[in-house]
Amino acid sequence: MAIFRQYIAPLLVVLVFVFALVAVSARIFLPSDMAAPAPIEKIEVTSQPTPTDLPAATPNLAS
């Protein structure tokens, strides 16, 4: 158990830190339009289907 606490656990912590650092630093090499945050647009609903707009139900002939 001492080997895990002295060698393996600190190594895992350092590897996770290095992975996070590389992932965050990779934004430097992305094109400027990809490094920017995603735009937020308001989505408008033009029309909602009503029961008259829906197709007619067909009977199930398989049974």
Side-chain angles (χ1 to χ4, degrees), residues 12-32:
L12 289 176
V13 170
V14 170
L15 288 177
V16 168
F17 175 77
V18 169
F19 176 75
L21 183 66
V22 169
V24 171
S25 299
R27 293 186 62 188
I28 297 170
F29 301 105
L30 291 175
S32 62

Side-chain angles (χ1 to χ4, degrees), residues 1-17:
M1 192 66 174
I3 292 175
F4 180 77
R5 261 186 282 145
Q6 290 180 353
Y7 298 106
I8 299 173
L11 179 65
L12 289 176
V13 170
V14 170
L15 288 177
V16 168
F17 175 77

Side-chain angles (χ1 to χ4, degrees), residues 31-53:
S32 62
D33 59 340
M34 290 179 66
I40 299 175
E41 299 176 5
K42 185 176 180 181
I43 300 174
E44 297 180 13
V45 177
T46 56
S47 67
Q48 293 183 346
T50 59
T52 57
D53 296 338

